[in-house]
């Protein structure tokens, strides 16, 4: 490794054959990683039993659908919560600002696991809401919404004083300034971060199993204990998440690149 | 136009940007130039005159009418004016055409078609017809500033207030924009211009308000001001700027 001079590496990276090189490197890595994994499994002498796992494919698929549904619902909730908390933190009333700021800090500063347990077993029971899916969607939405609130706030605050002054100068009132000048620009800036947060949301939904929701992870745990398997459940589980998170994060990267070029 | 100010105070925190500014433009001035050293308060006074900034004290009158302090009323007054700033301040997410047409529709009650037509008319007049569909980032500095002028002119403002409209431009683009401003002045547009382009001010202005340290040091007809500046500050300022021109 040490033999390549630094400037030569730079030239290689910048060369037009970059695309072809990437494919070769990717294939090489794939082979290498596969060999490493193979060696690992050989050393632990894992006994594969895909037949037993295959029995539970319908259950697996059900869990996956529920995870998708929960994620979609929580995304909607998180967007509303994020916008609400962001607006609250910029409100003209001190009490509202402090309340929303406090919510954001507490929600971001504590584990989702604890929020789910307290939220479901204490708060929701007191409020006589017993459907764990409804509670789970709301709590997950609140959790991710607190992060979105900060992303949105950063985006809105990045719209500078000169744009606000320009909006005033053409005669816009406060509502028109938000609608025509601040929000359209802030939304573009918030998009990459928001898409990234959605990737986290999909993965975080796996924690909802602690309040008894049979989403994908919970289904796989049941499948594994029923059929005495482990990896036969967990490997498809990882793939099922990647099917959703990979496109999302590619989209986030694409947005980030586009935003980078536009400014 | 007639501009009058009596003891106008504007504070930013503890700092007094305008410190009892008092002047009145004589008779009917077309183009009023605000001159003075950097930090003297030109931009602040321009914003106050255009009803963009509320004052902390004193009275301002435009054509004999006192400018209101309350925001909703001030907005009504502001909507009669057009503004052009140093940094273009176009909306970057909108095309040149939309930058001009949007305020026409949303603020001045134009129908969509009429707004478009009026916007095209202005862009055409400022030599931007071919660039109407471009966003600000795709325009040169001079083109952006001309688009900003088109936006300010489209609703037929009573006053066109311009704050150093050329100071962010290179000499070629500066010439291009100054030419536009000169034409506007000749066509009778009422203009308030804060600038360091003293020789240009001398050509177009008929009244000069000279500010230093938040106070109006001199307020005089342009010819008198440039021929026989009364104050030491104005003489020093003109001298230092003229030396290299
Ligand atoms: N928003 C603001 N917040 C704080 N101070 C300000 C603000 N705007 C202006 N000032 C201060 O007020 C004073 C007058 O500023 P102003 O911009 O009116 O000067 P100017 O004559 O336009 O100067 P220049 O020729 O450099 O543009 C300056 O000292 C400036 O620092
Ligand atoms: Mg200024």
């Amino acid at each position: 490794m040490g033999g390549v001079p630094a400037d030569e590496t730079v030239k290689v990276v910048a060369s037009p054959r970059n695309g072809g090189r990437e494919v070769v490197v990717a294939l090489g890595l794939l082979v290498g990683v596969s060999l490493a994994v193979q060696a690992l499994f050989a050393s632990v002498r894992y006994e594969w039993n895909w037949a037993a796992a295959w029995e539970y494919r319908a259950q697996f698929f059900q869990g996956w659908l529920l995870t998708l549904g929960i994620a979609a619902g929580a995304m909607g909730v998180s967007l509303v919560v994020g916008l609400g908390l962001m607006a609250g933190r910029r409100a003209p009333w001190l009490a509202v600002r402090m309340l929303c700021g406090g919510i954001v800090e507490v929600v971001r500063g504590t584990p989702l696991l604890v929020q789910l347990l307290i939220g479901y077993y204490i708060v929701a029971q007191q409020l006589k809401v017993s459907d764990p899916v409804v509670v789970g969607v709301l709590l997950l939405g609140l959790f991710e919404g607190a992060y979105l609130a900060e992303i949105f706030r950063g985006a809105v605050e990045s719209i500078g004083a000169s744009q606000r002054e320009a909006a005033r100068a053409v005669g816009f009132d406060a509502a028109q300034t938000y609608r025509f000048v601040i929000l359209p620009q802030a939304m573009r800036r918030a998009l990459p971060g928001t898409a990234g947060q959605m990737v986290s949301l999909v993965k975080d939904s796996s924690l909802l199993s602690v309040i008894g929701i049979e989403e994908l992870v919970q289904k796989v745990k049941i499948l594994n204990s029923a059929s005495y398997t482990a990896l036969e459940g967990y490997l498809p589980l990882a793939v099922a998440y990647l099917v959703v998170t990979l496109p999302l994060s590619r989209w986030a990267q694409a947005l980030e690149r586009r935003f980078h070029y536009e400014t | 136009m007639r501009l009058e100010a009596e003891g106008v105070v504007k504070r930013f925190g503890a700092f007094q940007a305008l410190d009892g500014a008092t002047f009145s433009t004589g008779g009917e001035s077309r183009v009023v130039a605000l001159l003075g050293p950097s930090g003297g308060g030109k931009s602040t006074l321009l914003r106050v005159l255009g009803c963009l900034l509320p004052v902390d004290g004193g009275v301002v009158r435009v054509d004999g009418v006192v400018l209101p302090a309350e925001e909703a009323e001030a907005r009504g007054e502001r909507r009669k004016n057009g503004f052009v700033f140093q940094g273009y301040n176009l909306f970057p997410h909108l095309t040149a055409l939309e930058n001009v047409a949007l305020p026409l529709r949303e603020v001045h009650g134009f129908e969509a078609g009429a707004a478009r037509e009026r916007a095209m008319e202005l862009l055409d007049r400022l030599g931007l017809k071919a660039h109407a569909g471009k966003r600000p980032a795709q325009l040169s500095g001079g083109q952006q500033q001309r688009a900003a002028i088109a936006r300010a002119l489209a609703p037929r403002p009573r006053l066109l207030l311009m704050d150093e409209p050329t100071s962010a431009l290179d000499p070629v683009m500066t010439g291009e924009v100054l030419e536009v401003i000169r034409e506007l002045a000749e066509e009778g547009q009422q203009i308030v211009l804060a600038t360091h382009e003293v020789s240009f001010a001398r050509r177009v202005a008929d009244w000069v308000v000279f500010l230093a340290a938040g106070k109006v040091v001199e307020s005089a007809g342009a010819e008198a001001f440039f021929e026989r500046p009364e104050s030491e500050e104005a003489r020093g300022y003109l001298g230092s700027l003229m030396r290299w021109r």
Side-chain angles (χ1 to χ4, degrees):
Chain A
M1 263 320 276
V4 186
D7 57 342
E8 199 142 314
T9 328
V10 171
K11 255 184 247 154
V12 167
V13 169
S15 86
R17 291 176 305 155
N18 210 3
R21 249 191 124 74
E22 243 173 52
V23 173
V24 173
V25 171
L27 284 176
L29 285 174
L30 194 67
V31 171
V33 172
S34 309
L35 286 175
V37 170
Q38 198 103 66
L40 185 70
F41 287 139
S43 73
V44 296
R45 292 179 211 282
Y46 190 79
E47 298 256 349
W48 295 100
N49 186 3
W50 287 105
W54 181 245
E55 295 288 307
Y56 292 88
R57 61 190 181 278
Q59 294 231 38
F60 183 93
F61 189 64
Q62 256 179 21
W64 189 65
L65 284 185
L66 184 56
T67 285
L68 287 188
I70 288 170
M75 280 180 193
V77 173
S78 71
L79 288 173
V80 173
V81 168
L83 275 176
L85 286 175
M86 181 271 285
R89 295 195 77 174
R90 299 179 53 79
W93 311 283
L94 181 66
V96 175
R97 280 204 302 275
M98 285 177 69
L99 177 69
C100 292
I103 292 173
V104 169
E105 292 305 332
V106 169
V107 171
R108 280 162 45 107
T110 55
L112 176 57
L113 181 65
V114 174
Q115 291 169 28
L116 288 170
L117 292 174
I118 294 179
Y120 182 63
Y121 290 109
I122 298 174
V123 180
Q125 303 303 323
Q126 288 298 313
L127 298 175
K128 306 262 182 284
V129 186
S130 54
D131 187 340
V133 173
V134 170
V135 178
V137 165
L138 290 176
L139 289 171
L140 183 59
L142 173 67
F143 179 76
E144 308 293 340
Y147 284 86
L148 288 182
E150 285 298 278
I151 294 172
F152 293 166
R153 191 167 70 108
V156 165
E157 284 173 3
S158 75
I159 309 302
S162 68
Q163 281 292 302
R164 291 165 200 273
E165 180 169 63
R168 266 164 67 76
V170 298
F172 286 158
D173 60 26
Q176 290 172 320
T177 300
Y178 261 89
R179 181 168 158 212
F180 297 119
V181 180
I182 296 179
L183 286 183
Q185 295 185 61
M187 261 162 60
R188 294 155 162 261
R189 295 188 188 188
L191 262 178
T194 302
Q197 197 61 42
M198 292 305 155
V199 173
S200 301
L201 184 150
V202 172
K203 291 184 298 174
D204 292 344
S205 73
S206 66
L207 271 176
L208 263 53
S209 57
V210 299
I211 57 172
I213 298 178
E214 296 199 355
E215 44 69 68
L216 188 53
V217 171
Q218 187 63 15
K219 285 285 192 208
V220 167
K221 282 185 187 161
I222 294 169
L223 175 164
N224 276 337
S225 60
S227 61
Y228 305 106
T229 53
L231 288 170
E232 295 86 339
Y234 289 132
L235 287 181
L237 174 69
V239 171
Y241 273 97
L242 282 173
V243 166
V244 185
T245 55
L246 270 187
L248 264 177
S249 70
R250 292 307 286 252
W251 182 55
Q253 283 164 17
L255 287 173
E256 217 154 332
R257 261 198 306 277
R258 205 177 79 192
F259 174 61
H260 186 74
Y261 287 133
E262 272 181 9
T263 43
Chain B
M1 83 191 101
R2 245 182 97 77
L3 305 175
E4 295 163 278
E6 282 167 29
V8 171
V9 173
K10 178 68 203 180
R11 292 188 201 95
F12 294 108
F15 184 80
Q16 296 228 352
L18 291 178
D19 184 12
T22 301
F23 71 92
S24 95
T25 60
E28 277 297 305
S29 307
R30 272 274 169 66
V31 178
V32 174
L34 308 182
L35 302 181
S38 188
K42 299 182 295 296
S43 300
T44 308
L45 179 62
L46 181 112
R47 282 163 173 75
V48 165
L49 291 170
C51 235
L52 196 56
L53 262 189
V55 295
D56 296 309
V59 180
V60 183
R61 276 187 290 270
V62 173
D63 290 331
V65 178
V66 176
L67 296 186
E70 198 269 322
E71 168 61 16
E73 281 178 61
R75 195 184 310 123
E77 203 60 31
R78 191 183 308 140
R79 286 174 170 177
K80 298 178 192 164
N81 300 327
F83 293 88
V84 177
F85 302 107
Q86 173 181 356
Y88 331 127
N89 292 10
L90 293 171
F91 302 127
H93 58 299
L94 301 179
T95 62
L97 181 68
E98 261 308 283
N99 262 282
V100 183
L102 179 70
L104 289 179
R105 291 198 307 271
E106 299 299 332
V107 175
H108 301 282
F110 279 56
E111 293 296 326
R116 219 191 122 78
E117 212 165 285
R118 175 75 180 145
M120 276 315 289
E121 181 188 331
L122 262 297
L123 289 175
D124 188 17
R125 187 164 143 209
L126 287 154
L128 293 169
K129 196 174 185 178
H131 306 290
K134 291 187 184 170
R135 302 229 181 128
Q138 300 166 297
L139 298 173
S140 76
Q143 290 168 339
Q144 287 184 52
Q145 199 57 307
R146 282 184 280 141
I149 294 174
R151 182 174 73 184
L153 284 177
R156 303 181 205 280
R158 182 181 60 177
L159 293 186
L160 178 63
L161 299 114
M162 299 197 270
D163 189 5
E164 299 195 35
T166 60
S167 62
L169 302 177
D170 69 30
V172 175
M173 297 191 218
T174 296
E176 179 182 297
V177 170
L178 290 182
E179 185 58 28
V180 168
I181 298 172
R182 193 187 54 76
E183 278 173 24
L184 290 173
E186 278 174 8
E187 288 163 19
Q189 173 69 48
Q190 302 195 108
I191 296 173
V192 180
L193 175 69
T195 187
H196 287 290
E197 297 275 348
V198 172
S199 40
F200 179 71
R202 187 171 189 162
R203 278 183 60 196
V204 297
D206 33 36
W207 195 269
V208 173
V209 176
F210 182 84
L211 292 127
K215 292 193 167 66
V216 175
V217 179
E218 251 183 275
S219 169
E223 212 181 302
F225 177 83
F226 288 110
E227 294 300 326
R228 303 171 296 279
E230 279 175 11
S231 63
E232 197 56 51
E233 287 101 324
R235 273 198 293 276
Y237 177 74
L238 289 177
S240 70
L241 283 179
M242 292 300 188
R243 190 171 311 147
W244 304 108
R245 285 173 196 254

